Amino acid sequence: MSASTFRASRPTPGTPRTVGAAAPTDTGVFHYPSLTTTVPKEFVHRASVAQVMLTDWDRVDDSHFTAAAQWPRGHSFFTEVDGCHDPLIAGETIRQAGALLAHAEFGVPLGHHFLMWDLAIRVQPAHLRVDSAPASLEMDIACHDIKWRRAGLAGFRYDVVIRRDGNTAATGSARFTCVSPQIYERLRGGRHNSARPALPLTAPTAPQNVGRVSPMDVVLTPIGETRSWQLRVDTRHPVLFDHPVDHVPGMMLLEAARQAATAALGRPAVLLGATGEFKRYTELDLPCLIEACPLPGTGTDAVQSVLVNGHQDGRLTFCSTLTVAASPTA
């Protein structure tokens, strides 16, 4: 990958000067080549630098790009699963890639709003193992169906391959549209800028039933019905709600789907793949019913699928199909 703005040689404040041929004689300042940092957090719609996964990117042509990313050995929410990086961290990385390219390569102004319509991931657990250092990743990104309007980019679909040490660790795709603040305000009406307060925080279901350790990370509330829950929305969560929003984020809905699949199966769900389709905004001020339905298989399949739907006011807001290992030890 060629050097980008974020890997340019520059002096590092507070670092002792090293004498050598690389030190220019005109300034007396040593230049350190190819230092790594994250991309600007604003480009990936994060408020916390700690939640930025991408470290670099480069243009191949008008619709193909490469990017670099890093997954930490430990994360406060995307926690280790049986010695592997959480598969949903691949989904967050793919989400960030689309926002980055929209701003940095397609000219979408900061402050525009993004509407994610679908997101899909598939992982290879053998290449997700947590190692003795953070996982360094290379990404190939192909953009399709790029649509423009008079004011600029309207949106696109993109496919992503995430490689680690030359091996494919995950693949995925997503589709989004973007609109100006003025159009978004018209779309959202009275719900714009969180004009309506969120529902009171409900009690979590038992963390061990949904594959979690901390009640803080549980996003389901029991309602006394088999394979049905109310979405538990904690707008104070530092990762799921990294910054104020006026609707439930898509990554939270995917987490709800995973937790529902785990509870419905009655065992740890070793996630191999997930698709999410977001039909409409999932609002903060209305109860959202989450329902999970394990899909029938042949009985000899190595994988099992679970369909998870979310409804508000009787209307489908999102649906997700999760593919998990048929055996928790597979």
Side-chain angles (χ1 to χ4, degrees):
M1 181 179 299
S2 62
S4 79
T5 305
F6 303 98
R7 301 179 66 192
S9 300
R10 65 191 68 183
T12 305
T15 306
R17 174 181 170 180
T18 302
V19 178
T25 57
D26 55 338
T27 64
V29 177
F30 184 83
H31 282 242
Y32 296 81
S34 300
L35 299 182
T36 302
T37 185
T38 61
V39 304
K41 58 186 176 64
E42 294 83 359
F43 281 3
V44 296
H45 303 170
R46 297 287 87 180
S48 171
V49 174
Q51 304 306 326
V52 179
M53 307 299 170
L54 305 183
T55 59
D56 201 2
W57 82 93
D58 196 17
R59 173 186 287 263
V60 177
D61 57 38
D62 288 346
S63 60
H64 294 81
F65 304 86
T66 57
Q70 186 183 81
W71 293 340
R73 295 171 64 192
H75 191 278
S76 63
F77 182 75
F78 297 112
T79 54
E80 179 182 315
V81 181
D82 293 332
C84 292
H85 290 280
D86 183 350
L88 284 189
I89 202 172
E92 171 62 13
T93 304
I94 291 169
R95 184 203 67 77
Q96 290 189 13
L100 168 70
L101 295 182
H103 290 302
E105 294 291 342
F106 290 93
V108 175
L110 296 175
H112 275 47
H113 294 264
F114 285 55
L115 291 69
M116 183 70 73
W117 295 104
D118 56 68
L119 175 65
I121 59 169
R122 187 162 188 87
V123 300
Q124 300 293 332
H127 303 303
L128 296 183
R129 303 296 300 179
V130 176
D131 208 342
S132 58
S136 296
L137 309 161
E138 303 83 37
M139 304 169 64
D140 292 324
I141 309 166
C143 302
H144 312 281
D145 303 324
I146 303 171
K147 295 181 172 57
W148 299 88
R149 62 172 66 95
R150 182 179 303 177
L153 180 75
F156 58 79
R157 171 179 292 280
Y158 58 104
D159 299 317
V160 180
V161 178
I162 300 177
R163 294 187 175 89
R164 182 184 186 188
D165 298 327
N167 300 304
T168 298
T171 58
S173 62
R175 179 173 64 93
F176 69 88
T177 54
C178 47
V179 296
S180 68
Q182 295 77 18
I183 293 177
Y184 185 77
E185 185 172 0
R186 291 201 297 270
L187 286 173
R188 298 295 287 143
R191 300 185 188 275
H192 181 48
N193 288 331
S194 301
R196 302 186 183 187
L199 291 175
L201 184 62
T202 52
T205 193
Q208 64 270 22
N209 292 344
V210 293
R212 282 292 178 177
V213 174
S214 171
M216 175 182 176
D217 294 329
V218 174
V219 298
L220 300 179
T221 290
I223 58 174
E225 298 182 16
T226 304
R227 296 176 180 171
S228 297
W229 305 264
Q230 181 178 324
L231 183 66
R232 179 176 183 266
V233 181
D234 184 358
T235 57
R236 301 168 302 175
H237 195 285
V239 177
L240 294 175
F241 287 87
D242 168 77
H243 57 281
V245 293
D246 61 9
H247 60 277
V248 178
M251 288 304 301
M252 179 179 176
L253 297 175
L254 284 180
E255 174 63 20
R258 174 168 61 178
Q259 292 187 18
T262 300
L265 293 174
R267 60 173 175 82
V270 181
L271 187 64
L272 302 177
T275 63
E277 296 181 42
F278 310 107
K279 304 296 186 179
R280 52 176 46 87
Y281 292 103
T282 301
E283 305 294 355
L284 298 173
D285 60 339
L286 295 173
C288 180
L289 178 66
I290 305 295
E291 299 174 299
C293 178
L295 300 178
T298 64
T300 59
D301 294 339
V303 299
Q304 184 171 2
S305 296
V306 181
L307 175 65
V308 180
N309 290 328
H311 291 84
Q312 281 187 324
D313 276 350
R315 299 191 302 173
L316 182 68
T317 61
F318 85 97
C319 58
S320 178
T321 301
L322 295 94
T323 304
V324 302
S327 166
T329 59

